[in-house]
Amino acid sequence: MAWDWDKLQQKRQSGSGGNASPPPNVDEVLEKIKNVKKKIPGGVPIIIALVILFFIGSSSIFTVAVDEVGVIQRFGKYVRTTPPGLNFKLPASIEKVTKVKVKRVEKEEFGFRTLRAGVRTRYAAASAYENESLMLTGDLNVAIVPWIVQYRIKDPYLYLFKVRNVRTTLRDLSESTMRLVVGDRSINEVISKRDEIAVYAKELLQKELDEAETGIQVKTIEMKKTNVPEPVQPSFNEVNQAVQEKERMVYQANEAYNKVIPAAKGEAEKTIKAAEGYALDRVNRSKGDAARFLSIYNEYTKAKDITRRRLYLEAMQEIFPKMGDKYIVDSDQKNLLPLLNLGKSQGGK
Amino acid sequence: MKTKALIGIIIVFLIVLFSSAYVVDETEQVIITQFGKSIGEPKTKPNLYFKIPLIQQANYFPKNLLEWDGDPGQVPTLDKTFIWVDTFARWKIVDPLKFFQTVNNVVGAMARLDDILDPAVRNLITSYPLMETVRMTNREMDTFETGSGQQLEGQEHRQLGEITTGRQEIIKRILEQAQPKLQAFGIQLADVKIKRLNYVEQVRKSVYGRMIAERRQIAEKFRSEGEGEARKIEGNRERELKRITSEAYMKAQKIKGLADGEATLIYAKAYNKDPEFYSFVKSLDVYKNTMDKESSLVLSTDSDFLEYIKGYRKSK
């Protein structure tokens, strides 16, 4: 079989030399067949039969991956859906299989595109897709609303046969649905109540998709950051700032309030306690004074004259040493004023 | 020789078979024509069919839902706002024979759809105010942030007004207007929808201007609200302060008064036994407490204190 090797070698060279030249292996195969024909008697029909058999066999066995199902048509007519795994069908041109990925969740992006997903996902410039995301809100303002629709094929039969271009249909319906929902909401709601919009839009979109018999199930609609168009953004921020400012003013006022009022309450408490103290003091003192007086009085009633004298003299004894100048004037002496030089003590001071 | 003849016969048979058999897919329908003339009922059910080879021809038409995308364009609304409208529709061939006779193929059909749908869309959008095309219900909208003033809301309502038709109704009317005209082509419209709707460039600029002004106004309102709130708290503070101190004063005075009263009662009860003796004792007490070095005393020998200074005899 040395010639075979030579040919192979040649083929390799010509193959590496350029692909444009016609493949030489046609002759080779023909020659090979002729060669085999000579060896096996009545070989041609058998070979043809084998080829046909192989063809039939290979086209009637197929595998379906885990995330797919196989949809089988016999002469164009849908007959059955097969589960994942190894499956059999009638040979090609009688039965045809189309594999549909029913488990995979697909994603459509509106108003932006993911350039490269990853830890730090990169997005294409949003302005390029502004047409998709620019919308009129219910209060006739303009909002930028980017979103994502995640979906999977729910019914492969409908998906394959009922709508010609399911993906464009999905995109068109998503856009019109989102605009319908946003068109019924104010700019504030569009910015602050994204979840509510997503839930409602999902419901509406699913209804539309079912009506159109697309066989698609919407998994989620996820709203990206909704915003107002760029020229308007500063004024929206201004509102946020004003809200902050308002809160700040209120906090400051409250701070001043809190600084004063608890202290004043304490002060008030103190005043009241002090008054209570005064009251106790006053009552106790009066009680004490009264008790003292009554005790003295009780004894006084028993010996009035002598007690009076005693009290008087005792008091004098206490008072006299404490006093400054003392003058004793005879009761017969008249006109005593000149004697007293009251001004002297005053002047000497 | 025999085998060769057999093979030849088989080959011819196969050629005849393959050129006469045709498959109609789930997504297709077929009309058989013979020299350009249609023969028999259209084949709408998917299956394997046979025809006379060479003489008869199979014409395939899609059976599934097809799309039509409108030419986006400027349309003025009834309130003279120019808007940019992009519509799309979905349709299907329900009468392939009519379809084949009138428009021949899908491309021809698209042209007819353009002719019929574009004007229908324009007509209806032009005959309603913008509001009607944008909104679908009269749902109550939260037009301003919480705590907005009555006056602002009032303005907004007057500006926007109520809708009577709504987008979905307008779309339904577009459909109603276009459908009868498409009947003749064997076409059925599944629906027409507005994909995009926007202000044209110049209008958009002025809308932005309005949005900015509106926001500024709201911002200003928040600021003055903040100011007002702060003043209110300040006032509150003043008032609280006065209330607290005055209440404390009031309580203190009451307590003191009660105590004074009680003390007075106690004193009176005790001293009333002998007022004269009380003044005697109290006077002595007062003397003790008030006399000091600064005070000078002039005493006459007549006084009780100096009764004995002039002699030891028992006085008077």
Side-chain angles (χ1 to χ4, degrees):
Chain A
M1 296 292 247
W3 62 272
D4 220 316
W5 275 108
D6 292 339
K7 291 251 170 183
L8 210 69
Q9 225 55 15
Q10 250 180 20
K11 186 196 152 198
R12 270 194 188 152
Q13 273 156 15
S14 70
S16 61
N19 286 326
S21 62
N25 57 344
V26 177
D27 299 336
E28 185 189 319
V29 169
L30 280 175
E31 257 181 281
K32 208 175 172 183
I33 286 168
K34 269 178 200 161
N35 204 16
V36 172
K37 200 173 84 180
K38 276 171 201 156
K39 278 182 186 167
I40 306 161
V44 175
I46 284 173
I47 284 167
I48 290 174
L50 275 174
V51 165
I52 289 171
L53 213 67
F54 175 76
F55 182 64
I56 288 171
S58 68
S59 71
S60 57
I61 299 172
F62 63 98
T63 52
V64 177
V66 253
D67 59 343
E68 324 173 302
V69 292
V71 175
I72 292 175
Q73 286 169 275
R74 184 182 299 151
F75 294 124
K77 188 172 163 15
Y78 167 79
V79 280
R80 64 183 190 274
T81 307
T82 69
L86 192 65
N87 285 282
F88 301 94
K89 67 175 179 65
L90 294 178
S93 81
I94 300 174
E95 283 193 345
K96 191 180 110 192
V97 60
T98 317
K99 290 167 192 172
V100 182
K101 295 202 180 296
V102 287
K103 296 266 167 63
R104 181 184 288 184
V105 177
E106 303 277 354
K107 183 172 86 167
E108 285 293 328
E109 296 172 327
F110 299 88
F112 72 102
R113 294 291 181 278
T114 306
L115 281 184
R116 201 184 62 214
V119 180
R120 254 190 81 182
T121 306
R122 289 184 44 181
Y123 299 105
S127 55
Y129 301 97
E130 217 170 44
N131 273 344
E132 280 174 4
S133 58
L134 222 50
M135 296 186 192
L136 283 192
T137 60
D139 47 0
L140 298 185
N141 289 323
V142 181
I144 292 177
V145 184
W147 76 102
I148 288 173
V149 175
Q150 289 190 328
Y151 65 96
R152 66 173 194 90
I153 298 158
K154 173 175 65 176
D155 187 332
Y157 172 75
L158 293 179
Y159 175 78
L160 284 178
F161 306 129
K162 287 298 179 186
V163 179
R164 188 154 76 168
N165 199 337
V166 177
R167 194 166 163 259
T168 15
T169 305
L170 175 77
R171 284 198 72 88
D172 287 350
L173 282 176
S174 296
E175 283 204 32
S176 85
T177 306
M178 189 52 78
R179 276 179 172 74
L180 205 59
V181 175
V182 166
D184 226 17
R185 272 157 181 77
S186 70
I187 186 88
N188 288 344
E189 287 172 302
V190 170
I191 288 169
S192 59
K193 295 183 183 166
R194 291 185 298 171
D195 292 348
E196 195 190 300
I197 292 175
V199 168
Y200 189 48
K202 186 193 163 194
E203 195 182 303
L204 268 187
L205 180 59
Q206 187 60 63
K207 218 179 100 210
E208 294 282 345
L209 288 170
D210 288 346
E211 250 168 49
E213 297 186 314
T214 51
I216 277 182
Q217 188 189 23
V218 179
K219 281 286 189 190
T220 50
I221 288 187
E222 197 188 308
M223 310 289 293
K224 288 277 170 187
K225 188 165 170 31
T226 48
N227 211 335
V228 285
E230 199 140 357
V232 191
Q233 275 168 20
S235 66
F236 267 70
N237 292 337
E238 204 183 316
V239 171
N240 290 337
Q241 270 172 14
V243 171
Q244 299 297 322
E245 224 167 289
K246 176 184 170 183
E247 276 173 18
R248 202 202 66 218
M249 283 184 196
V250 171
Y251 281 132
Q252 277 177 348
N254 275 331
E255 186 194 319
Y257 182 93
N258 289 339
K259 222 173 179 173
V260 171
I261 295 304
K265 276 185 181 160
E267 189 64 39
E269 203 75 359
K270 185 188 146 195
T271 311
I272 290 165
K273 290 286 174 212
E276 277 169 6
Y278 167 85
L280 277 174
D281 180 69
R282 190 97 173 94
V283 171
N284 285 341
R285 273 175 199 281
S286 67
K287 277 179 182 164
D289 286 350
R292 178 173 166 231
F293 176 76
L294 284 176
S295 307
I296 297 168
Y297 177 73
N298 277 342
E299 297 312 312
Y300 164 73
T301 46
K302 287 173 192 163
K304 276 190 179 179
D305 188 53
I306 197 64
T307 307
R308 273 182 93 92
R309 278 169 193 269
R310 183 180 59 81
L311 285 173
Y312 177 71
L313 289 174
E314 269 175 18
M316 285 305 142
Q317 192 179 9
E318 201 178 313
I319 294 162
F320 254 69
K322 288 202 292 183
M323 290 179 76
D325 303 334
K326 294 150 194 124
Y327 305 92
I328 300 169
V329 179
D330 198 301
S331 54
D332 300 334
Q333 177 72 42
K334 304 291 173 209
N335 196 11
L336 81 165
L337 270 175
L339 287 171
L340 281 175
N341 197 358
L342 290 169
K344 201 178 116 195
S345 67
Q346 212 98 6
K349 227 186 174 183
Chain B
M1 285 304 279
K2 258 186 185 172
T3 49
K4 270 187 183 162
L6 196 69
I7 287 167
I9 288 166
I10 286 170
I11 286 170
V12 168
F13 174 75
L14 281 177
I15 287 170
V16 170
L17 187 74
F18 274 100
S19 60
S20 71
Y22 63 98
V23 167
V24 178
D25 193 78
E26 283 277 354
T27 60
E28 294 166 336
Q29 43 195 342
V30 166
I31 289 177
I32 297 300
T33 52
Q34 188 170 317
F35 304 120
K37 214 181 105 200
S38 71
I39 298 288
E41 284 294 300
K43 310 281 186 295
T44 54
K45 292 224 164 58
N47 210 338
L48 180 70
Y49 293 96
F50 296 96
K51 61 180 170 58
I52 303 166
L54 304 173
I55 300 165
Q56 291 188 341
Q57 231 183 346
N59 302 278
Y60 288 84
F61 301 100
K63 198 176 70 176
N64 49 9
L65 208 55
L66 304 174
E67 66 223 333
W68 170 83
D69 201 348
D71 180 29
Q74 286 185 22
V75 185
T77 60
L78 190 65
D79 43 357
K80 300 287 173 290
T81 314
F82 272 88
I83 52 170
W84 191 266
V85 184
D86 190 358
T87 46
F88 74 93
R90 286 171 319 196
W91 57 283
K92 52 165 81 171
I93 302 163
V94 284
D95 189 339
L97 199 59
K98 248 189 212 168
F99 185 82
F100 179 56
Q101 286 163 348
T102 52
V103 295
N104 202 8
N105 55 33
V106 173
V107 178
M110 289 294 186
R112 296 302 170 94
L113 282 165
D114 286 344
D115 294 346
I116 290 161
L117 280 177
D118 276 332
V121 169
R122 269 151 207 276
N123 276 352
L124 273 136
I125 293 205
T126 314
S127 42
Y128 289 99
L130 176 59
M131 208 60 228
E132 302 278 350
T133 329
V134 171
R135 301 206 60 181
M136 59 170 169
T137 59
N138 272 321
R139 186 180 161 275
E140 196 64 46
M141 290 188 298
D142 169 22
T143 37
F144 281 99
E145 268 97 332
T146 43
S148 61
Q150 289 302 115
Q151 197 196 349
L152 288 170
E153 247 163 41
Q155 278 175 3
E156 203 62 16
H157 269 287
R158 185 160 46 83
Q159 197 189 347
L160 294 175
E162 297 273 292
I163 59 157
T164 52
T165 320
R167 181 186 281 200
Q168 273 162 327
E169 183 63 27
I170 290 175
I171 274 163
K172 222 173 98 193
R173 287 185 195 170
I174 295 174
L175 198 67
E176 277 164 11
Q177 214 177 74
Q179 183 52 53
K181 295 175 190 163
L182 290 166
Q183 213 88 51
F185 305 116
I187 289 173
Q188 192 200 12
L189 268 183
D191 57 21
V192 182
K193 284 194 190 302
I194 297 175
K195 186 160 73 177
R196 290 172 196 169
L197 183 81
N198 224 324
Y199 294 114
V200 297
E201 197 59 39
Q202 302 92 309
V203 180
R204 205 186 293 166
K205 284 215 177 88
S206 65
V207 168
Y208 288 174
R210 174 176 61 76
M211 285 173 81
I212 290 168
E214 201 177 272
R215 289 291 127 177
R216 291 247 166 90
Q217 173 192 352
I218 296 169
E220 217 40 63
K221 203 171 69 59
F222 276 121
R223 284 199 196 101
S224 70
E225 263 178 18
E227 190 82 19
E229 202 97 332
R231 293 272 171 280
K232 212 169 89 185
I233 293 165
E234 262 167 44
N236 231 5
R237 191 191 65 195
E238 290 293 309
R239 198 193 64 139
E240 276 295 281
L241 204 58
K242 291 273 183 255
R243 183 183 66 76
I244 289 165
T245 43
S246 64
E247 265 179 17
Y249 177 77
M250 178 182 76
K251 267 190 194 161
Q253 288 306 99
K254 271 184 187 167
I255 290 166
K256 282 181 182 170
L258 278 175
D260 283 343
E262 202 185 332
T264 308
L265 183 74
I266 291 165
Y267 281 132
K269 237 166 129 185
Y271 299 158
N272 253 342
K273 298 236 171 181
D274 190 342
E276 199 281 326
F277 181 62
Y278 167 70
S279 18
F280 172 67
V281 172
K282 186 75 192 174
S283 299
L284 291 181
D285 263 358
V286 170
Y287 298 158
K288 277 184 207 167
N289 291 335
T290 52
M291 303 296 177
D292 56 13
K293 288 245 181 308
E294 299 297 306
S295 343
S296 303
L297 182 68
V298 178
L299 269 180
S300 163
T301 47
D302 270 2
S303 66
D304 281 352
F305 183 61
L306 299 176
E307 190 182 353
Y308 300 99
I309 204 125
K310 281 169 97 181
Y312 57 88
R313 275 180 312 268
K314 195 179 175 198
S315 64
K316 289 155 235 178

